[in-house]
Amino acid sequence: MGLRELKRERTRRLIADKAFELFTDHGFGRTTVEQIAAAAEVGPSTLYRYFPTKETLVLEFVEDCLMDAVGWFRGQPVIIALPDGLQSVIERVLERLESNPDRVRAVFDLAGQTASVSAHLNELIWRFRNDLTDELVRRLSGPVRQRAEPGPARQQSSDPRQVEFTAALSAGIAMNIIETVVRIWVENPDDTEVKVLARRAMSLLRGGGIPLPAAGPRLPGPLPSSPARSEADGGRNNSPYGL
């Protein structure tokens, strides 16, 4: 990272830190952009270049944690076993979140108190799931290769609908593990080891230890076609099977 980029990152982090101090002291609704800019010793126009809304200020840390993990995964060799890759993504997110517990708890509190923060958090979670789905689709759509998983998992489907179905489910499961572990950790900070809990969840998934509702006798039909994601729906996958 060059000197200019380093300075920009420091300014960005300072603005976010000062914003959280003000949100904690005065509340989200009673804190103005002008107050945040003054505390960070920047102009409002500079603040808006880094953070277009107050909600993005609240979620800056969580967004960095999620998107850093997806970016890391994109840079890994395609031969990595996908369960191992997903576990690493989950653990990478949790490790970053665990490094700043006060910020994570503040985000939970603000999301519970403020509808706009909750909505932006949900959009961020959907973006993470969609980005992770796209990366999984890329890996699952590559040339057939020998992989670490035994049995049928060695074969990749050539049906793009099946590939996206599998990728969307996998990304949704990864996000659900992260959310569940973080919620337990926030509620029981002294008795929860986040990585241990995440590994336990992955172990249950790998071993079939997570119970599912009993299925009826009807066999599933062919997968429906998947409409493209659009900006209008926030980048979400609107297919009946997209998570």
Side-chain angles (χ1 to χ4, degrees):
M1 183 181 293
L3 182 60
R4 179 175 297 180
E5 289 76 14
L6 184 61
K7 184 177 179 180
R8 284 176 57 85
E9 180 58 27
R10 286 176 178 170
T11 300
R12 178 174 176 269
R13 185 54 49 84
L14 175 63
I15 293 171
D17 289 345
K18 291 299 182 181
F20 256 93
E21 291 177 11
L22 291 169
F23 294 153
T24 301
D25 292 342
H26 306 295
F28 180 81
R30 292 190 296 272
T31 301
T32 67
V33 168
E34 289 73 19
Q35 289 172 326
I36 298 169
E41 299 183 351
V42 299
S45 60
T46 299
L47 186 150
Y48 279 121
R49 284 202 298 270
Y50 288 94
F51 300 101
T53 66
K54 285 202 301 182
E55 288 79 9
T56 55
L57 273 164
V58 173
L59 300 174
E60 171 262 352
F61 176 66
V62 174
E63 180 176 9
D64 283 353
C65 295
L66 293 174
M67 298 310 154
D68 168 79
V70 176
W72 171 86
F73 191 36
R74 290 192 185 108
Q76 299 309 298
V78 294
I79 60 173
I80 187 173
L82 291 184
D84 293 339
L86 283 175
Q87 181 166 328
S88 295
V89 168
I90 292 167
E91 291 184 1
R92 193 175 181 91
V93 171
L94 292 173
E95 184 175 352
R96 291 277 313 268
L97 291 173
E98 195 179 19
S99 71
N100 198 337
D102 292 340
R103 183 66 59 87
V104 175
R105 293 188 187 99
V107 168
F108 263 72
D109 290 343
L110 287 169
Q113 299 165 6
T114 311
S116 62
V117 174
S118 178
H120 276 71
L121 179 58
N122 287 334
E123 290 177 5
L124 176 58
I125 289 171
W126 272 106
R127 180 152 64 92
F128 170 80
R129 289 170 66 164
N130 283 337
D131 287 354
L132 185 55
T133 295
D134 290 342
E135 176 58 20
L136 289 169
V137 167
R138 183 182 75 85
R139 289 170 179 269
L140 290 167
S141 301
V144 175
R145 60 184 183 276
Q146 293 294 312
R147 302 167 66 193
E149 299 93 326
R154 293 173 180 264
Q155 301 298 321
Q156 294 183 5
S157 172
S158 59
D159 183 349
R161 296 171 299 174
Q162 182 64 49
V163 167
E164 184 168 358
F165 178 68
T166 301
L169 284 175
S170 299
I173 288 169
M175 188 66 243
N176 285 339
I177 289 175
I178 292 169
E179 287 185 286
T180 301
V181 170
V182 169
R183 183 170 287 106
I184 293 172
W185 171 52
V186 167
E187 294 173 355
N188 305 277
D190 297 328
D191 301 321
T192 304
E193 297 183 43
V194 293
K195 281 190 176 181
V196 171
L197 207 56
R199 289 171 183 167
R200 187 181 306 163
M202 287 298 297
S203 178
L204 288 169
L205 283 173
R206 291 175 191 253
I210 295 181
L212 297 173
R218 185 182 63 179
L219 294 176
L223 290 173
S225 59
S226 171
R229 301 169 198 168
S230 67
E231 293 297 327
D233 62 15
R236 301 177 189 176
N237 186 345
N238 282 330
S239 72
Y241 55 88
L243 299 181

